[in-house]
Amino acid sequence: MEITKLIEQISQKKSFLCVGLDTDLEKIPKHLLQEEDPIFAFNKAIIDATHPFCVAYKPNIAFYEAYGLQGWNSLERTMAYLNEKYPEIFTIADAKRGDIGNTSTRYAKAFFEALSFDSITIAPYMGKDSVEPFLEFEGKHTILLALTSNEGAFDFQTKEIEGVELYKEVLKVSKTYKNAERLMYVVGATKATYLKEIREIVPESFLLVPGVGAQGGSLQEVCAYGMTKNVGLLVNSSRGILYASTGDDFAEAATKEAQKIQAEMEIQLEKIHN
Amino acid sequence: MEITKLIEQISQKKSFLCVGLDTDLEKIPKHLLQEEDPIFAFNKAIIDATHPFCVAYKPNIAFYEAYGLQGWNSLERTMAYLNEKYPEIFTIADAKRGDIGNTSTRYAKAFFEALSFDSITIAPYMGKDSVEPFLEFEGKHTILLALTSNEGAFDFQTKEIEGVELYKEVLKVSKTYKNAERLMYVVGATKATYLKEIREIVPESFLLVPGVGAQGGSLQEVCAYGMTKNVGLLVNSSRGILYASTGDDFAEAATKEAQKIQAEMEIQLEKIHN
């Protein structure tokens, strides 16, 4: 998907919400466990319930791999459903992959071609030749980890590398990669004030912001520091929407929660034009 | 598997060879494509042909994911075969995963429990709480990327973070993680001289060394700088063994190639006792 289509979606839906599909058999409503494919049944219901209020879905690949063949099958079915029924919605494989060249190409084919994802999250540790194979795919996007929202982010990411914090060095160096215009970045919302300095390095790039909601970030702060004239933000919520209710009314509860976030986003979006 | 069992294997087989299972449908002998599961058929033949000369197998997970459900199924069958027929052999999921806590736990379950791998490769970028969930599993090992063998390693890994190269900082910081005794490290053989300094930080840890062979490292150098009294090395070869021949004699050719490397390793191992 071209970035202009994503921006159009945001404008139409007045939302930059990404719904994280961290689907967990231990948390979904018990009655779904009788379905032939409970993970897909849950995802389908969540997607149908939330699609008017979001512009992206982000399956967390670990949750599918944990169930082996069955999980991989549920992931394939979820992607087929999304791409057939809601092709206008941006899809993110939250996979955090990254390996040497020919191996990265394999991962890119797995997610961009076999599963038809629009984008994938990638770890930067192995550098240029581990990232560029993903960037070769036209109409696909690579979302590089810059500053993550977890405590371990302080182990390396915020330490200074030749006078600049490592996460900023990742931003700077990655801008020199071939097809760098297909890059987006993961920036944790728990450190919204960092966004100001990040925007000095990548003024236009889309940022995927996890951690609003369960992980404690503030939407207002993220927008104050991170929003561009093209919005430039995808803000993710997973558990808050998926498990808003664990009863029979889980889909309705998910709709309400997504709608609530969309309404907050609409207020923030109005600020762009003022 | 406990580390003592791996050391026993090395001593019995006079080898510290790891065979990388980077199985590629475009490279395996054409006649195998008629098999119901060509990837498994190839892996099984390679394993049967090379097991006397190696102590570890390392499926490169990207190569399986690239084939979707079919690939995942081949991976499951390969692991079931290995664990049933050759349970004494150490297995490595070359997955380069790493995510926030609850997601890392999912990956750990996928590879350590569902697929019964003995170990997994992990990227360190997200720090402590992305690595420790893997370290919780008793008898399992986490192989952290330190210094990789690709060109992109110079983007970040070799840059100085507060006066120390990032890869050394990764070694130092990771030693403070809970259950750090279950850590091993990836160190690319193309930079064997770095091993001397690495051994000053992690004198005892096992190092997984890719890049001897196709990627151009020298076994002798790796051993000169990296070997410990318990060997402390697993040296990987993938393509050189798997595709030693692409004809009907591929298994015999793989045997010869593995045996050749084992013989070189035997010479190096004799140096420990001299």
Side-chain angles (χ1 to χ4, degrees), chain A:
Chain A
M1 183 186 294
E2 293 306 324
I3 206 78
T4 48
K5 290 220 168 180
L6 173 61
I7 297 168
E8 259 176 52
Q9 272 286 298
I10 292 173
S11 165
Q12 278 171 25
K13 289 182 175 168
K14 298 182 175 44
S15 169
F16 44 98
L17 174 62
C18 171
V19 176
L21 297 172
D22 300 17
T23 307
D24 182 344
L25 286 179
E26 286 172 27
K27 286 190 183 162
I28 67 175
K30 295 287 164 271
H31 72 275
L32 290 177
L33 299 178
Q34 287 140 29
E35 298 274 337
E36 161 249 346
D37 182 347
I39 298 174
F40 175 67
F42 179 78
N43 285 353
K44 182 176 174 296
I46 290 288
I47 291 165
D48 289 337
T50 57
H51 75 91
F53 309 106
C54 70
V55 296
Y57 287 103
K58 179 174 73 65
N60 184 335
I61 305 305
F63 283 72
Y64 301 86
E65 283 193 356
Y67 300 114
L69 267 182
Q70 184 201 341
W72 202 264
N73 190 39
S74 304
L75 179 62
E76 283 192 4
R77 290 184 69 187
T78 301
M79 286 307 296
Y81 185 74
L82 269 172
N83 284 322
E84 196 193 314
K85 192 115 188 245
Y86 308 107
E88 71 283 5
I89 294 190
F90 190 74
T91 50
I92 302 168
D94 198 358
K96 303 198 171 69
R97 300 295 195 263
D99 208 311
I100 57 168
N102 68 333
T103 302
S104 272
T105 300
R106 296 274 153 171
Y107 281 127
K109 285 186 179 175
F111 291 102
F112 290 159
E113 291 181 351
L115 288 163
S116 292
F117 274 98
D118 293 312
S119 66
I120 185 172
T121 57
I122 296 296
Y125 192 73
M126 292 181 69
K128 179 173 172 144
D129 54 345
S130 74
V131 179
E132 286 187 340
F134 292 97
L135 294 174
E136 278 175 22
F137 289 73
E138 227 184 301
K140 303 290 183 179
H141 305 273
T142 301
I143 312 179
L144 207 58
L145 299 186
L147 185 61
T148 58
S149 58
N150 62 320
E151 197 199 321
F154 298 104
D155 271 7
F156 309 113
Q157 296 169 26
T158 57
K159 285 190 178 159
E160 286 196 1
I161 191 164
E162 290 164 13
V164 193
E165 289 101 324
L166 175 58
Y167 76 91
K168 287 189 191 165
E169 184 72 6
V170 166
L171 294 172
K172 284 181 183 171
V173 171
S174 67
K175 283 174 73 177
T176 68
Y177 294 168
K178 198 175 170 194
N179 300 311
E181 70 281 4
R182 293 175 189 152
L183 280 171
M184 301 180 173
Y185 299 94
V186 171
V187 178
T190 45
K191 307 178 189 77
T193 50
Y194 286 63
L195 279 165
K196 198 179 159 196
E197 291 176 60
I198 288 171
R199 277 298 179 211
E200 284 169 16
I201 308 171
V202 288
E204 305 282 344
S205 305
F206 259 82
L207 307 180
L208 172 62
V209 184
V212 167
Q215 290 170 60
S218 144
L219 182 66
Q220 206 173 345
E221 272 203 5
V222 168
C223 293
Y225 296 107
M227 201 176 259
T228 70
K229 64 178 195 309
N230 282 323
V231 189
L233 294 172
L234 288 172
V235 171
N236 184 73
S237 176
S238 302
R239 284 163 285 174
I241 291 172
L242 303 191
Y243 310 118
S245 160
T246 52
D248 286 356
D249 64 337
F250 74 98
E252 293 81 355
T255 299
K256 267 188 208 155
E257 188 60 28
Q259 193 165 18
K260 199 178 94 188
I261 301 175
Q262 181 278 322
E264 289 169 24
M265 288 179 166
E266 190 168 345
I267 295 169
Q268 298 302 322
L269 287 169
E270 281 163 7
K271 293 181 185 169
I272 295 182
H273 308 291
N274 295 338

Side-chain angles (χ1 to χ4, degrees), chain B residues 153-172:
Chain B
F154 298 104
D155 273 7
F156 309 112
Q157 296 168 27
T158 56
K159 284 188 179 161
E160 285 194 3
I161 192 164
E162 291 164 13
V164 192
E165 290 100 324
L166 175 58
Y167 76 90
K168 287 188 194 167
E169 185 72 6
V170 166
L171 294 172
K172 283 180 185 174

